[in-house]
């Protein structure tokens, strides 16, 4: 196997083990053992089933967005794209490889790079916008958060979150963003400015395509939301397995907050940040000593299991040199855009 890939996998394995061990160690309580003896193994099947539904709707979203760009993907190609995202996202800084992996598989399926890039970007925009729109609901339904932040501040922040996607949609239909970008990047190097404008054009093209197919986009947005909520629901499944009383709305709301932050995490797959955020948000909802265990169970189910499946399909399709291929793909994509 390629040494670069082996090194990445070994480093990731060591990082995951270290983070998981640290989280459990620093949150462990003697009563943790009592709760573990009450754990119902059936909850594992429940969590895996819910995860499967989430991945299914992720695939349906991809089918819908492919149709928006007049492309068709087979079931096998859809599975490859969805799972490969998890694999390369976890072995690259800031999850940057996830997008490249999706483009690689869609290109292999015959989808032009330009269309594949738009599909990947729209998928990401949809996920982030869905979570952003849920933030006000979380703020006003979670009593604990209400005690942390004054109502006036919550109202202001909520209006800002709801307005952000709407403002962005209408701004993309004007020349103002391009003028502001030109002003902000005026003193940067030519190549850096060029990259900024390329990214802006891709972002704008995604909005243009969404504007041309509103009903299809709405359908993809709903599929996106169902996918995310099902994947997050693996956590309450494990709560049920531990016989823990919980408020489903509150638990899902806090999962929304964590995962919104993870979209902007600089670490591979949000490693470390995810576990720390989970413990911080759930320690007052769980018995002493269980927050760390639950954080690790969540990560292994929702991230590391799809990562292993993604590694299998990605290496099988592109070989063990997939890391170098992803680097070359990114460079070729950049050169095509520069041209």
């Amino acid at each position: 196997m390629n040494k670069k890939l082996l090194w990445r996998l070994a480093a990731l394995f060591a990082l995951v083990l270290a983070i998981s061990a640290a989280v459990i160690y620093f949150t462990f309580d003697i009563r943790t053992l009592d709760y573990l003896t009450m754990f119902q193994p059936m909850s594992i099947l429940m969590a895996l089933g819910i995860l499967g539904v989430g991945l299914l709707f992720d695939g349906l979203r991809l089918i819908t967005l492919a149709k928006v760009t007049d492309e068709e993907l087979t079931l096998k190609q859809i599975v490859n794209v969805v799972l490969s995202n998890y694999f390369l996202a976890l072995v690259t800084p800031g999850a940057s490889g996830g997008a490249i992996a999706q483009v690689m598989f869609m290109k292999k399926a015959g989808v032009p790079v330009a269309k594949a890039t738009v599909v990947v970007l729209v998928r990401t925009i949809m996920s982030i916008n869905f979570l952003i729109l849920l933030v006000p609901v979380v703020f006003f339904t979670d009593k604990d958060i209400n005690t942390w932040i004054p109502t006036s501040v919550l109202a202001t922040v909520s209006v800002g979150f709801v307005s952000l996607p709407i403002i962005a949609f209408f701004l993309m239909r004007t020349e103002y963003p391009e003028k502001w970008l030109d002003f902000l990047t005026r003193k940067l190097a030519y190549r850096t400015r060029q990259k900024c404008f390329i990214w802006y054009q891709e972002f704008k093209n995604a909005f243009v395509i969404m504007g041309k197919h509103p009903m299809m986009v709405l359908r993809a947005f709903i599929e996106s939301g169902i996918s995310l909520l099902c994947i997050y629901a693996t956590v309450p499944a494990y709560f049920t397995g531990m016989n823990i009383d919980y408020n489903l709305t509150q638990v899902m709301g806090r999962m929304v907050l964590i995962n919104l932050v993870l979209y902007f995490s600089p670490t591979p797959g949000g490693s470390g940040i995810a576990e720390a955020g989970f413990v911080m948000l759930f320690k007052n909802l769980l018995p002493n000593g269980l927050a760390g265990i639950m954080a690790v169970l969540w990560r292994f189910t929702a991230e590391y299991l799809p990562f292993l499946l993604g590694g299998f399909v990605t290496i099988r399709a592109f070989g063990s040199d997939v890391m170098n291929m992803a680097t070359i793909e990114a460079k070729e994509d950049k050169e095509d855009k520069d041209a």
Side-chain angles (χ1 to χ4, degrees):
M1 185 176 287
N2 183 274
K3 289 183 178 180
K4 183 177 181 180
L5 179 59
L6 276 176
W7 186 90
R8 290 284 183 91
L9 291 176
L12 177 64
F13 183 71
L15 178 65
V16 168
L17 282 182
I19 290 174
S20 301
V23 168
I24 293 174
Y25 176 79
F26 287 109
T27 60
F28 188 81
D29 185 275
I30 191 63
R31 284 168 291 184
T32 304
L33 296 175
D34 295 331
Y35 279 98
L36 289 177
T37 58
M38 295 187 294
F39 182 70
Q40 300 175 15
M42 282 298 295
S43 65
I44 298 176
L45 295 178
M46 185 191 306
L48 293 177
I50 294 172
L51 174 66
V53 174
L55 295 177
L56 171 64
F57 274 92
D58 194 1
L60 291 175
R61 170 179 62 172
L62 183 58
I63 292 174
T64 303
L65 291 177
K67 288 181 179 179
V68 168
T69 60
D70 299 320
E71 296 291 337
E72 295 284 344
L73 295 172
T74 66
L75 176 61
K76 181 179 178 180
Q77 291 164 346
I78 291 293
V79 171
N80 289 342
V81 172
V82 171
L83 293 179
S84 66
N85 174 46
Y86 283 90
F87 177 64
L88 280 187
L90 272 175
V91 295
T92 52
S96 58
I100 297 172
Q102 294 175 71
V103 172
M104 285 172 61
F105 267 108
M106 280 191 276
K107 182 179 177 181
K108 185 180 177 69
V111 179
V113 173
K115 288 185 177 181
T117 302
V118 168
V119 169
V120 172
L121 186 57
V122 170
R123 288 178 76 227
T124 305
I125 292 172
M126 281 187 170
S127 296
I128 294 174
N129 281 347
F130 179 79
L131 297 181
I132 285 175
L133 292 175
L134 284 183
V135 168
V137 179
V138 175
F139 281 166
F140 285 100
T141 57
D142 195 319
K143 295 180 180 179
D144 290 340
I145 294 179
N146 282 330
T147 60
W148 300 345
I149 309 173
T151 304
S152 58
V153 176
L154 283 177
T156 303
V157 173
S158 297
V159 170
F161 270 107
V162 172
S163 303
L164 190 61
I166 300 172
I167 293 172
F169 178 79
F170 285 103
L171 276 177
M172 287 298 108
R173 303 166 71 91
T174 70
E175 297 180 355
Y176 290 111
E178 193 167 350
K179 291 180 179 178
W180 295 337
L181 185 61
D182 179 61
F183 175 78
L184 292 172
T185 61
R186 189 168 298 171
K187 295 183 179 181
L188 299 178
Y190 172 76
R191 298 289 292 180
T192 304
R193 292 194 72 198
Q194 191 178 38
K195 288 180 182 178
C196 291
F197 276 93
I198 288 172
W199 291 335
Y200 166 73
Q201 286 300 328
E202 288 180 349
F203 193 71
K204 186 174 182 178
N205 288 341
F207 271 91
V208 170
I209 289 177
M210 286 192 290
K212 290 181 179 179
H213 304 274
M215 296 309 298
M216 292 286 283
V217 170
L218 176 61
R219 174 181 168 179
F221 184 76
I222 293 171
E223 290 166 344
S224 178
I226 295 174
S227 171
L228 292 174
L229 292 178
C230 285
I231 293 172
Y232 303 162
T234 54
V235 171
Y238 284 127
F239 282 16
T240 301
M242 290 284 190
N243 294 310
I244 298 170
D245 291 329
Y246 62 90
N247 182 313
L248 180 61
T249 302
Q250 188 178 42
V251 171
M252 293 297 288
R254 297 199 180 190
M255 291 302 298
V256 165
L257 295 180
I258 292 174
N259 283 276
L260 179 58
V261 171
L262 292 183
Y263 272 101
F264 307 97
S265 168
T267 60
S271 298
I273 295 174
E275 289 83 356
F278 186 97
V279 171
M280 183 181 70
L281 286 176
F282 284 94
K283 63 182 179 181
N284 67 327
L285 301 182
L286 294 169
N288 291 338
L290 278 187
I293 295 287
M294 287 298 175
V296 172
L297 280 174
W298 160 53
R299 291 291 285 170
F300 269 88
T301 304
E303 291 292 336
Y304 303 137
L305 178 58
F307 162 80
L308 292 174
L309 296 174
F312 174 77
V313 300
T314 303
I315 294 174
R316 184 179 181 183
F318 296 103
S320 60
D321 200 37
V322 65
M323 296 300 300
N324 290 331
M325 291 182 65
T327 302
I328 294 171
E329 182 74 24
K331 289 181 178 178
E332 289 180 349
D333 187 25
K334 176 182 177 300
E335 289 171 358
D336 291 342
K337 292 169 186 173
D338 290 346

